[in-house]
């Protein structure tokens, strides 16, 4: 279970007392919109169900505030089971949309929320213009946060935004201090030593029969860059995501091959990593991927410079542990002292109400 420092607990108590006295909350969201709430939000609809993780970092009982969520970006099964066991009220959360990021305005309004939390992806999606205008006409406050598109740039600020909306600024400050301190160790050491960046290719949602979805600028690109690597996808993929053919990947012949996976790929015979995954299943699925014709012949695979990573690092502050691990893989001598496994364990134990064991990354041997 997480534990707040005494000073943070006192600050949180003072903040809650002030807001209980009726103080209005005005905040600026990730898109620079100014939003005013009459009081801390008590009835929240999440545009992305998996953002219950961030809410749980800030609130001892996140399910008590959630009345609805859009389910197409939900928790993986093991974490959903753990959260549901800890917070049975999760079963009462209404679904207000799923698939292709559709949001049912009618269902949302019927839930009488005092806040709808959407992502930067929604803010940049033209299909959301009408739903947003309808929510505004209904007098429902909407804020945008971003833990996905530009995660390193926007995660601390998004935590602050969400925290201010519910009156948990002290808790956000503690999380952000931990996050920034760990990130700065990597940043500062890279800046001091200026090592050559290895070329890196990342196959997202990796399966042996489909090569290769990858990322351009943003998401995993940000993690690769922060760890001192050069994402080849940025050179050839416009936007956040795109596809590179196997023959093109072979021609690129990256120094490091990364692959993302999760429980959602189990049925497709893909890379399985994450919460509730055993080391045996992770190792077997990674070996099958690396044995794929074409991928098996990459220099990075032949030299054991290949790593599998949990895909859902892409929408969570937990990604700072991944950055530490990638920094060790890219520059082993420079970052030999880092302990990314401990960082992952500490973040779950200190900042989340439940800790779920799993396999978060796996390296070729």
């Amino acid at each position: 279970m997480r534990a707040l420092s005494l000073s943070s607990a006192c600050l949180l108590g003072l903040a809650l007392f002030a807001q209980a006295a009726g103080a209005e909350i005005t905040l600026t969201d990730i898109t620079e919109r100014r939003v005013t709430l009459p009081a801390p939000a008590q009835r929240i609809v999440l545009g992305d169900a998996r953002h219950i993780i961030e809410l749980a970092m800030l609130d001892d009982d996140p399910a008590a505030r959630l009345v609805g969520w859009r389910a197409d970006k939900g928790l993986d099964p093991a974490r959903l089971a753990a959260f549901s066991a800890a917070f049975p009220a999760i079963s009462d959360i209404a679904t207000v949309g799923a698939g292709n990021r559709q949001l049912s305005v009618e269902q949302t309004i019927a839930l009488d929320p005092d806040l709808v939390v959407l992502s930067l992806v929604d803010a940049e999606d033209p299909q959301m213009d009408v739903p947003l205008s309808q929510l505004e006409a209904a007098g429902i406050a909407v804020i945008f946060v971003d833990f996905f598109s530009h995660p390193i740039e926007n995660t601390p600020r998004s935590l602050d935004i969400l925290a201010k909306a519910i009156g948990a600024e002290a808790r956000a400050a503690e999380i952000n201090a931990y996050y920034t301190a760990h990130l700065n160790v990597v940043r500062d050491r890279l800046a001091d030593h200026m090592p050559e960046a290895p070329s890196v290719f990342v196959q997202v949602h990796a399966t042996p029969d489909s090569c290769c979805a990858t990322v351009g600028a943003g998401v995993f690109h940000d993690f690769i860059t922060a760890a001192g690597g050069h994402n080849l996808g940025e050179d050839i993929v416009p936007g956040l995501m795109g596809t590179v053919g196997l023959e093109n990947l072979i021609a690129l012949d990256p120094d490091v091959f990364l692959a993302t996976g999760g429980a959602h790929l189990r049925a497709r015979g893909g890379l399985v990593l994450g919460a509730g995954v055993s080391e045996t299943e992770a190792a077997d699925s990674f070996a099958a991927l690396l044995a794929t014709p074409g991928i098996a012949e990459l220099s990075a695979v032949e030299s054991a410079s290949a790593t599998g990573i949990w895909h859902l690092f892409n929408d969570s502050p937990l990604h700072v542990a991944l950055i530490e691990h990638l920094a060790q893989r890219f520059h082993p001598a420079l970052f030999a002292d880092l302990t990314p496994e401990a960082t992952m364990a500490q973040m779950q134990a200190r900042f989340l109400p439940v800790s779920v064991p799993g396999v978060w990354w796996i390296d070729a041997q």
Side-chain angles (χ1 to χ4, degrees):
M1 296 294 288
R2 82 180 139 219
L4 283 176
S5 68
L6 180 60
S7 61
S8 294
C10 291
L11 287 172
L12 180 60
L14 289 172
L16 290 174
F17 176 81
Q19 288 154 359
E24 190 175 75
I25 298 171
T26 298
L27 57 84
T28 302
D29 74 8
I30 207 70
T31 67
E32 305 301 332
R33 294 167 59 258
R34 285 178 60 82
V35 178
T36 299
L37 301 172
Q42 299 298 327
R43 296 181 59 81
I44 296 175
V45 169
L46 290 179
D48 291 342
R50 69 178 60 154
H51 286 167
I52 191 176
I53 293 295
E54 287 76 20
L55 190 60
M57 287 180 161
L58 301 169
D59 191 345
D60 288 332
D61 188 357
R65 294 182 193 265
L66 288 179
V67 294
W69 57 21
R70 189 169 50 187
D72 60 336
K73 281 188 175 289
L75 293 176
D76 44 320
R79 288 194 301 169
L80 179 59
F83 269 79
S84 296
F87 306 107
I90 282 178
S91 63
D92 298 326
I93 298 172
T95 298
V96 296
N100 298 317
R101 303 197 63 81
Q102 297 295 320
L103 177 70
S104 170
V105 175
E106 293 80 4
Q107 290 175 319
T108 300
I109 292 174
L111 293 172
D112 191 29
D114 47 25
L115 180 66
V116 175
V117 180
L118 298 177
S119 74
L120 184 59
V121 174
D122 293 310
E124 297 172 345
D125 184 356
Q127 78 169 348
M128 289 298 296
D129 289 348
V130 171
L132 289 173
S133 64
Q134 292 172 328
L135 291 174
E136 181 179 353
I140 297 172
V142 176
I143 61 171
F144 294 98
V145 296
D146 178 37
F147 301 98
F148 176 81
S149 297
H150 305 290
I152 297 175
E153 175 185 352
N154 289 336
T155 285
R157 185 177 167 201
S158 293
L159 279 173
D160 283 339
I161 291 165
L162 187 56
K164 190 166 187 178
I166 65 170
E169 292 96 329
R171 190 166 281 177
E174 188 168 357
I175 298 165
N176 282 338
Y178 182 97
Y179 174 95
T180 302
H182 281 253
L183 185 60
N184 282 345
V185 168
V186 178
R187 281 176 164 167
D188 293 347
R189 206 172 295 180
L190 288 171
D192 289 343
H193 295 273
M194 298 293 290
E196 182 178 353
S199 62
V200 182
F201 183 88
V202 55
Q203 180 185 3
V204 298
H205 302 294
T207 63
D209 61 356
S210 180
C211 181
C212 289
T214 192
V215 295
V219 200
F220 288 99
H221 163 83
D222 292 14
F223 307 151
I224 292 167
T225 301
H230 171 66
N231 172 35
L232 292 172
E234 182 185 27
D235 302 334
I236 54 179
V237 172
L240 287 180
M241 296 193 66
T243 302
V244 175
L246 180 58
E247 66 281 0
N248 300 112
L249 172 57
I250 293 171
L252 288 170
D253 199 24
D255 297 324
V256 179
F257 176 72
L258 300 181
T260 78
H264 65 293
L265 297 179
R266 184 176 283 125
R268 295 173 52 193
L271 177 60
V272 182
L273 294 170
V277 175
S278 70
E279 291 185 5
T280 298
E281 182 178 23
D284 289 348
S285 65
F286 191 43
L289 177 69
L290 297 186
T292 303
I295 290 178
E297 286 71 53
L298 293 174
S299 298
V301 174
E302 291 178 343
S303 64
S305 296
T307 293
I309 56 182
W310 179 43
H311 188 81
L312 291 186
F313 276 121
N314 71 349
D315 212 358
S316 164
L318 298 171
H319 67 240
V320 74
L322 171 64
I323 291 170
E324 289 184 339
H325 183 75
L326 292 180
Q328 281 191 325
R329 290 292 281 166
F330 299 165
H331 308 288
L334 190 57
F335 294 107
D337 60 319
L338 295 187
T339 55
E341 295 84 358
T343 299
M344 186 68 178
Q346 288 167 4
M347 290 192 77
Q348 289 204 83
R350 183 173 172 183
F351 301 125
L352 283 168
V354 293
S355 294
V356 185
V359 180
W360 314 110
W361 45 70
I362 184 169
D363 298 325
Q365 303 297 319

